[in-house]
Amino acid sequence: MKLWKVLLSRTGTVLVAAGLALLLVSLIPPARTTSFSSADQVPPETFLPLGSSIGPFADANITSYARFFSVLTPQQELKVDFSNNGTVDVYLLKINLESLMNTLGNERSVASLNDYLQSNPDLIGWQGEILDGTLDYIPTQVINVTLLFSNPSQNTVSVAYDGSIFSLIAPTGKVQTLGIFAIPIGVVLTLPGLQNLMKSRKASSP
Amino acid sequence: MGKSKGRPFMEVLASALHEDYRFPILELFAFLYVLGTFALSSAGTFAYSQTSLTDEAMAYQFTTSILSVPLLIFVILIFKNIAYGLGSDLEKGIIQTYFSYPLKRRSILTAKLLSALGVSIVLFLVFQISALYIVAPDIVLPQLGTVLLTYVANFSYPLLIAGILLLLTFVIRRGGITLVVGIFLYLALSIASGIVSFFAYATESTLILQVFSFLSPGTVLGAYYGSALNPLTAFWQPTFSQVVLSMVGSYAIVAVVFFIGYYYFSRRLNL
C-alpha cells in the first residue's frame, strides 16, 4: 500500500478513536455543586446586582451566592431560571460585586449602568431581556462574576430566580459536536486504506 | 546524494512506525489521551479564588491540571516503543536488517527515535493543546508560550528516563527487563520529588530543590508560577532566569545521555 494511503487511513482511525473518546466524555453528566434561589424587587429605572440587597449572612442563599458564585471557571456552568412579573435586562458581568459597587458608588440608575457598560463592553459576559427564561453560561476563562437586573421600565418588577452551578469535565456541547464531526471524517479518511486492504485480501484468497 | 540517502531513511522510518504503532496501538493511545485529558484531569480543583493569579500563572495551573494522567500514558507509550520495540529488534536480530540499508548507524537510530519519541510527542501535544483550547480558549491562546513552556518543563524527566532506557536496552538487549526498569525509575523519580519537596519544606533549604530542578524542571516552574496551593512558595521564589537555567541544564543532561546512546549504538554495539 502506498505510504500516503497508510498515513491517511491511520489518521482516519486515530480521528475515529478520538471522536469516540470525545462522545464518551460528553456522556459524563455535570455535577451540581451550588444552588441558590431568591426573589427581589427592582424599582423603576434602577438596576439591582444579585446579592446586594441583603446584608452578608442574613440569607443562606445570598451568602451561598456571594461565597461560591463570585468566580466561575471554564469547567463550571451557571444555569439560572427566572420568573418575573415584567421584563428586565439581565446582565452577567465579568467583575466582582465589590469592584462594581466601588466603581458605581451609590448610583443605581439604569442610565449610569448603561454609561458604564458602554465604556466597558468587554465586561459583559451575557445579556438578555427576560420575562420567563433561563440563563445558561459557561465562561472560556476564569472570571469574577456579578449577575444584575436592570429595569428600564416605569414600574417595579418582581424577579424570582432559581440558579445552580454545575461542575463540568468539558463543555458538553462543544465536545459532543467535535466527536460527531471527527468520527465520519475519520471513517472517510480510512476508506482508501480499507479498500486496498480488501483488494489485497481478495487477491491473496484462493 | 541527499535524495539517495533520504529514501532508505524514509524506509527505515516507515518500518519503525509500522512496528511501533501496529493497529490498534496508535488508536488505543489516542483514545486514552483524549479520555485521560478530560475525564481524569484535576482541572476542577483550581476553581476558587484563582482570579488573583496572573494570566501566566493561570495558564500554567490549568495546563498542569490536565497533564498528570496523560503524561503517564505518554511515558508508557515511549517506554514501550524504546524498551520493548527497540529491545525486541535487538533480541530478534531485526536491527541487523536495517544495517543492510546504505545508512550510517546513527541515521538508523534517528529514524527509530523519530518513530518512538517524535510521533508520541506530536500526538500528545496535539490532543493536549486541543483539549486546553476546547475548554478554555481565552486562557490558552494569549498564553501559548507559557503553555508550551509547561510542556517543555514536564517532558524533561520522561525524556531523561527514556535516554537511560535506550542505553540499558543496548547493554541488556532484553525489552521486558528494560521496560520494568523504566517504570521503576519513573516511579522512583516521582517519589523522590515528593521526598525532596518535604525535606526542603522541613529544612526551609532551597539548595536541594535547585539541584533537583536539573532533573525535573517542573519543580522550579511550579514554584515560579506559585500559587497558595504550593507550600514551597512560602520560602522559595525562583526568578525566571533560574527557571531557564534549570531547563537548559536539564535538557543538557538529556542530550548527554542520548549522545552516549548514539555513541554506543554507532561505535560499541556489537551484533
Side-chain angles (χ1 to χ4, degrees):
Chain A
M1 205 189 313
K2 283 182 179 171
L3 190 63
W4 71 266
K5 279 190 180 176
V6 177
L7 282 175
L8 209 64
S9 62
R10 290 309 292 277
T11 308
T13 51
V14 166
L15 266 178
V16 171
L20 286 173
L22 285 171
L23 284 184
L24 195 62
V25 167
S26 74
L27 292 177
I28 300 170
R32 187 197 301 259
T33 54
T34 307
S35 57
F36 55 91
S37 64
S38 191
D40 274 312
Q41 299 279 328
V42 190
E45 295 182 345
T46 60
F47 71 90
L48 180 75
L50 197 72
S52 64
S53 59
I54 303 170
F57 309 111
D59 181 294
N61 291 322
I62 298 299
T63 306
S64 155
Y65 160 81
R67 284 177 66 188
F68 298 110
F69 176 38
S70 55
V71 176
L72 278 182
T73 76
Q75 289 182 306
Q76 287 178 310
E77 181 181 18
L78 170 69
K79 270 189 184 174
V80 189
D81 290 322
F82 296 98
S83 177
N84 312 331
N85 70 351
T87 303
V88 287
D89 294 328
V90 178
Y91 290 96
L92 186 146
L93 301 182
K94 298 180 200 172
I95 185 171
N96 67 37
L97 184 57
E98 198 182 348
S99 303
L100 181 73
M101 299 320 285
N102 285 343
T103 311
L104 293 175
N106 292 324
E107 187 66 61
R108 294 285 179 94
S109 73
V110 170
S112 67
L113 176 71
N114 289 344
D115 286 346
Y116 176 71
L117 293 180
Q118 265 175 7
S119 52
N120 300 284
D122 52 326
L123 285 181
I124 303 173
W126 187 95
Q127 74 177 100
E129 277 182 22
I130 290 185
L131 177 64
D132 283 301
T134 303
L135 179 161
D136 193 345
Y137 183 73
I138 303 173
T140 52
Q141 62 189 129
V142 181
I143 52 167
N144 287 305
V145 176
T146 296
L147 251 186
L148 61 83
F149 308 111
S150 171
N151 177 14
S153 73
Q154 300 295 322
N155 307 311
T156 296
V157 177
S158 297
V159 289
Y161 50 87
D162 184 359
S164 300
I165 295 172
F166 294 91
S167 182
L168 306 167
I169 283 172
T172 313
K174 269 191 203 175
V175 169
Q176 206 166 36
T177 310
L178 275 172
I180 287 168
F181 275 104
I183 294 171
I185 292 171
V187 170
V188 170
L189 292 179
T190 314
L191 288 177
L194 213 61
Q195 200 180 14
N196 262 32
L197 197 73
M198 284 166 79
K199 269 184 191 171
S200 62
R201 285 219 173 149
K202 262 187 188 172
S204 63
S205 64
Chain B
M1 180 81 180
K3 202 174 178 182
S4 65
K5 272 191 177 178
R7 194 167 172 81
F9 180 84
M10 289 305 287
E11 279 179 25
V12 174
L13 179 62
S15 165
L17 285 170
H18 181 71
E19 286 299 317
D20 286 339
Y21 304 102
R22 279 178 183 279
F23 183 82
I25 288 174
L26 193 63
E27 290 73 14
L28 186 70
F29 275 88
F31 184 85
L32 288 175
Y33 276 150
V34 175
L35 204 61
T37 298
F38 286 113
L40 301 173
S41 75
S42 55
T45 58
F46 86 111
Y48 305 116
S49 310
Q50 293 289 314
T51 46
S52 57
L53 290 176
T54 61
D55 291 347
E56 289 91 349
M58 203 175 280
Y60 168 80
Q61 296 286 349
F62 189 53
T63 309
T64 49
S65 71
I66 70 159
L67 195 60
S68 56
V69 174
L71 191 67
L72 184 66
I73 297 167
F74 166 75
V75 163
I76 291 168
L77 180 61
I78 60 169
F79 286 6
K80 183 226 50 111
N81 287 345
I82 289 179
Y84 192 72
L86 201 58
S88 297
D89 283 358
L90 287 166
E91 226 174 314
K92 293 172 186 167
I94 298 168
I95 206 90
Q96 280 152 321
T97 319
Y98 294 134
F99 291 162
S100 64
Y101 285 89
L103 278 175
K104 288 185 175 170
R105 281 189 174 195
R106 64 166 182 264
S107 299
I108 293 169
L109 186 58
T110 303
K112 292 291 288 179
L113 288 179
L114 263 179
S115 163
L117 294 176
V119 174
S120 311
I121 290 174
V122 169
L123 196 70
F124 179 84
L125 285 179
V126 164
F127 284 125
Q128 281 270 301
I129 294 175
S130 305
L132 286 171
Y133 180 76
I134 290 168
V135 176
D138 291 339
I139 295 178
V140 176
L141 275 189
Q143 298 301 330
L144 199 60
T146 308
V147 170
L148 292 176
L149 190 72
T150 308
Y151 284 119
V152 171
N154 283 285
F155 275 151
S156 168
Y157 84 88
L159 288 179
L160 175 66
I161 299 173
I164 295 169
L165 277 197
L166 185 72
L167 275 174
L168 274 176
T169 308
F170 293 149
V171 175
I172 302 173
R173 297 182 198 185
R174 293 276 187 278
I177 298 170
T178 326
L179 189 63
V180 173
V181 172
I183 291 167
F184 172 78
L185 278 176
Y186 181 78
L187 292 176
L189 206 61
S190 303
I191 293 166
S193 168
I195 293 171
V196 164
S197 298
F198 184 78
F199 190 80
Y201 186 67
T203 59
E204 294 201 359
S205 159
T206 60
L207 182 68
I208 191 168
L209 288 168
Q210 284 166 353
V211 172
F212 190 73
S213 292
F214 283 103
L215 290 179
S216 174
T219 311
V220 68
L221 196 67
Y224 177 71
Y225 289 126
S227 69
L229 299 172
N230 188 344
L232 299 178
T233 51
F235 59 93
W236 192 33
Q237 291 92 30
T239 60
F240 189 70
S241 55
Q242 280 178 299
V243 173
V244 173
L245 184 71
S246 295
M247 282 205 193
V248 170
S250 157
Y251 276 93
I253 296 170
V254 172
V256 166
V257 173
F258 273 93
F259 177 78
I260 296 169
Y262 266 89
Y263 179 79
Y264 192 90
F265 187 75
S266 303
R267 303 280 173 88
R268 300 277 174 194
L269 188 69
N270 295 317
L271 293 166

